[in-house]
Each structure stands twice: as C-alpha cells, then as structure tokens.
C-alpha cells in the first residue's frame, strides 16, 4: 500500500524520484519514468532543481517499484546541451513504437527562464534504456511547455502541448517512428490556459485531464471528452469530488493509465516548491461512466486489481497513412 501524499519508497528503501512521470506497460512489467529531482531547490526564475535526469522504476503490481536507475542522465560536461544541469527537463513520457520496436521518450526541455520551450526526444532499444538523446525542436515552430504523448490502439500517436506561453493547448500527430510530428497542429483549447495534460482512451471515447496554469501551486482540474484524439474536445468540468476537489487534492495531473477493471489510474504530483525533491505522489482510481469521469480522494493507492489494461499492438495493415 502506498499512502497518498506520504513519501513513497522504492524496493531498496529510498524515496522514489519520478516526478511529472508516466507509466509504460511492456511484457507484463510496468515502467515508471519521471524527473529525478534529488537535488537542492533554489529560487531562479521559478523554484527549481538542476537537471539530474530521467529515472526509471519497474513493477509487476504497481506497488513495489524496483529502481532501474537514471535512464537519461543530465550532461554536465556540455554547457550547450539541452540536458545540461542548468536547464529544465520535465514530464518525460515513453511510448513503444510498434513499427520500429524502439522505446521513444519525449520530454519538455527548456532554459531556466522557460524561453526555449521545446520537446526533446530520446530513443532506446529496451524500456530500461539507456536512452540516446536525439535533440529537441518546437512542434511546427510553436513553443511547447507542458505536454503529453498518447498512443492510440491503432498505433497512431499524438503530441498534446501547451503553447503560446500556455494560453492555447494544441495537438499534432506523431510521425511513423514517433520521433517527430507531421502536419499542422490543431487547437484543443484556445486561450483557455490549460497545462499538465493526461490523455487516455475509454471505449470509443478519449478523455483529457488538465490543470490550470499556476506553476507549482495546485488549482482546479478539468476534463474534456472527444470522439477522436484530434477532437473536437468538449469540456465537461472538474472530475474531482469531495473535500479538496477545488484544488485537485493539492496535486496536478501528469498521466492516466486505463486498468483492466475499467477504472483508470490517474497519476498526480503534489509539488513542494520549497523542496522539490520532497514532492509527493497522489495516485487515484478514476471511474468512467459514459462521458463522466469521477476522481475522489483515497488515502492510499492499494494496487488491488491494479492490472494495467492490455495494450493493443497494431498489425502493419492497421497503420494510418496520412
Ligand atoms: C507547472 C508545470 C510543471 C513545472 C512548473 C514550473 O505549471 O506543470 O511541470 O513546469 O510549472 O513552475
């Protein structure tokens, strides 16, 4: 049992360092990737920790997390590198590309003042890495800060990114090898100031959970539903219910994983901006009925029935050509 909001320890008894994280299920193992923030917090443009890298943990029950190390480390040797400690590397997300068999990591890379606003891409042959950094870019030359990537059952993947200094959240399909984008992005929420997107599919509907834009401080979550990953997205409202619902239980979404029992594991971060390494995790079981998503506080993530849903691996014939 993992107590929501308390320190979570890995199988070696050390605090888990995987903030702004995401899960990837592969061969009956679930991998948790996230920001290793195990350094001192200092006040820069915002409260920050120097880049250490992306941690990976592995589990078969979503409760006991075995450390797999830093699978994409910072590059202190190269001041010009995106992953130099003085920069920002946030919200890593990993997809397995069914066409190439590679594991592709996306992350938000930025300068300390958040003016670079790019996505970075790294590729590995196994989920445990090591991930080889490929470089960074702005999708269709647009600034990109908080983001997520989502892989649909047909193998098509999408990038959702907060753009125009977080005013407008957009979506764009990824290319076949998942290392770039294709076509022009389309608006999901225009001038609505949403970030921290988490996207999942439930039946034939797509759900997107977002936060507002208040930095490390919590604010009300909101979710939207669409018939297709590209939209149109209809805002439904705040999925949180009960005490603390108005501030997302003091946390911010980062990822959502459908589970075999039809519920959804919603991963959130409870940031501690004065000491970011001690930021906490809140994992809640979301329930979907039609277009309604409900999130209630639970004291602990118990993992009961917490099997991740089967991920469909598309056959080559189901590939979309656009
Ligand atoms: C949040 C964002 C985090 C981090 C933080 C910096 O809005 O979701 O990932 O960038 O701002 O203050």
């Amino acid at each position: 049992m993992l107590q929501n909001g308390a320190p979570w320890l890995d199988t070696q008894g050390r605090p888990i360092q995987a903030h702004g994280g995401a899960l990837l299920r592969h061969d009956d193992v679930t991998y948790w990737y996230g920001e290793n923030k195990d350094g001192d917090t200092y006040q820069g443009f915002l409260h920050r920790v120097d880049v250490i890298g992306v941690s990976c943990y592995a589990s078969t029950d979503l409760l006991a997390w075995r450390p797999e190390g830093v699978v994409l480390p910072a590059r202190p040797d190269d001041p010009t590198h995106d992953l130099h400690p003085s920069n920002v590397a946030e919200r890593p997300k990993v997809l397995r590309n069914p066409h190439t068999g590679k594991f592709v990591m996306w992350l938000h890379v930025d300068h300390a003042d958040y003016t670079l606003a790019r996505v970075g891409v790294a590729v590995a042959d196994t989920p445990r890495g090591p991930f080889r950094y490929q470089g960074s870019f702005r999708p269709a030359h647009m600034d990109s800060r908080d983001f997520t990537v989502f892989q649909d059952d047909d193998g098509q993947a999408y990038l959702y990114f907060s753009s125009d200094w977080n005013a407008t959240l957009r979506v764009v399909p990824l290319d076949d090898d998942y290392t770039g984008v294709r076509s022009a992005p389309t608006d999901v929420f225009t001038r609505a100031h949403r970030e921290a997107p988490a996207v999942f599919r439930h039946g034939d509907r797509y759900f997107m959970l977002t936060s507002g834009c208040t930095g490390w401080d919590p604010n009300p979550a909101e979710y939207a539903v669409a018939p297709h990953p590209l939209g149109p997205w209809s805002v439904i409202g705040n999925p949180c219910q009960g005490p603390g619902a108005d501030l997302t239980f003091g946390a911010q979404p980062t990822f959502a994983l459908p589970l075999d029992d039809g519920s959804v594991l919603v991963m959130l971060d409870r940031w501690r901006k004065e000491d970011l390494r001690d930021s906490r995790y809140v994992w809640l079981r979301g329930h979907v009925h039609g277009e309604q998503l409900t999130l209630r506080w639970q004291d602990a993530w118990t993992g009961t029935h917490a099997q991740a849903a089967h991920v469909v691996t598309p056959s080559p014939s189901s590939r979309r050509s656009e």
Side-chain angles (χ1 to χ4, degrees):
M1 192 169 80
L2 294 166
Q3 210 70 38
N4 275 323
W8 288 12
L9 304 181
D10 66 22
T11 53
Q12 296 180 0
R14 296 198 200 99
I16 293 176
Q17 283 293 335
H19 310 281
L23 302 176
L24 171 75
R25 186 167 147 91
H26 180 67
D27 285 348
D28 294 326
V29 176
T30 303
Y31 297 89
W32 177 3
Y33 303 91
E35 303 161 30
N36 186 320
K37 298 184 105 60
D38 197 9
D40 292 339
T41 297
Y42 60 94
Q43 173 86 58
F45 175 71
L46 299 167
H47 287 88
R48 59 170 277 114
V49 171
D50 283 351
V51 177
I52 295 169
V54 177
S55 311
C56 176
Y57 296 82
S59 179
T60 52
D61 60 6
L62 307 184
L63 280 176
W65 291 97
R66 187 181 66 226
E68 299 288 341
V70 175
V71 293
L72 181 69
R75 296 287 291 272
D77 50 311
D78 182 356
T80 67
H81 200 283
D82 286 344
L83 300 178
H84 188 265
S86 62
N87 286 332
V88 165
E90 293 181 335
R91 298 185 173 269
K93 308 282 174 268
V94 178
L95 301 177
R96 179 184 176 274
N97 187 308
H99 316 308
T100 64
K102 303 282 189 200
F103 295 83
V104 186
M105 180 186 292
W106 287 65
L107 67 168
H108 168 201
V109 296
D110 223 317
H111 289 154
D113 62 0
Y114 287 83
T115 54
L116 187 68
R118 294 189 188 184
V119 281
V121 177
V123 177
D125 299 323
T126 77
R128 294 177 172 81
F131 283 82
R132 299 177 295 276
Y133 193 67
Q134 312 283 294
S136 67
F137 63 97
R138 286 184 163 199
H141 307 291
M142 295 172 177
D143 61 323
S144 173
R145 293 183 179 83
D146 278 8
F147 80 98
T148 196
V149 285
F150 166 74
Q151 180 184 37
D152 205 354
D153 290 352
D154 62 1
Q156 178 61 55
Y158 301 85
L159 167 70
Y160 298 83
F161 61 105
S162 297
S163 197
D164 299 348
W165 274 104
N166 300 335
T168 294
L169 194 142
R170 300 194 168 97
V171 58
V172 63
L174 299 194
D175 61 16
D176 268 354
D177 60 12
Y178 289 6
T179 57
V181 299
R182 62 171 164 222
S183 67
T186 51
D187 285 9
V188 174
F189 307 123
T190 306
R191 289 186 291 282
H193 297 273
R194 306 304 302 177
E195 65 176 6
V199 176
F200 67 93
R201 178 176 176 166
H202 193 275
D204 56 6
R205 289 188 179 86
Y206 299 83
F207 288 75
M208 187 188 312
L209 186 60
T210 61
S211 76
C213 299
T214 55
W216 301 115
D217 299 322
N219 55 57
E222 188 176 88
Y223 76 104
V225 179
H228 186 277
L230 294 174
W233 289 89
S234 307
V235 174
I236 310 290
N238 187 345
C240 302
Q241 292 187 4
D246 52 338
L247 288 181
T248 320
F249 314 111
Q252 185 184 32
T254 184
F255 193 75
L257 181 74
L259 303 174
D260 272 345
D261 65 3
S263 66
V264 182
L265 162 53
V266 176
M267 297 169 67
L268 307 105
D269 296 287
R270 186 177 281 175
W271 301 110
R272 296 185 138 200
K273 68 179 173 192
E274 309 289 346
D275 188 12
L276 285 163
R277 63 151 48 106
D278 195 30
S279 297
R280 306 290 169 81
Y281 311 105
V282 172
W283 287 15
L284 304 176
R285 188 183 301 279
H287 295 281
V288 177
H289 298 285
E291 298 205 332
Q292 193 188 344
L293 169 66
T294 309
L295 274 182
R296 289 183 177 280
W297 174 255
Q298 51 193 83
D299 288 336
W301 171 253
T302 60
T304 317
H305 310 303
Q307 292 306 310
H310 177 64
V311 175
V312 178
T313 303
S315 61
S317 59
S318 72
R319 282 170 64 168
R320 253 183 226 170
S321 48
E322 291 184 15

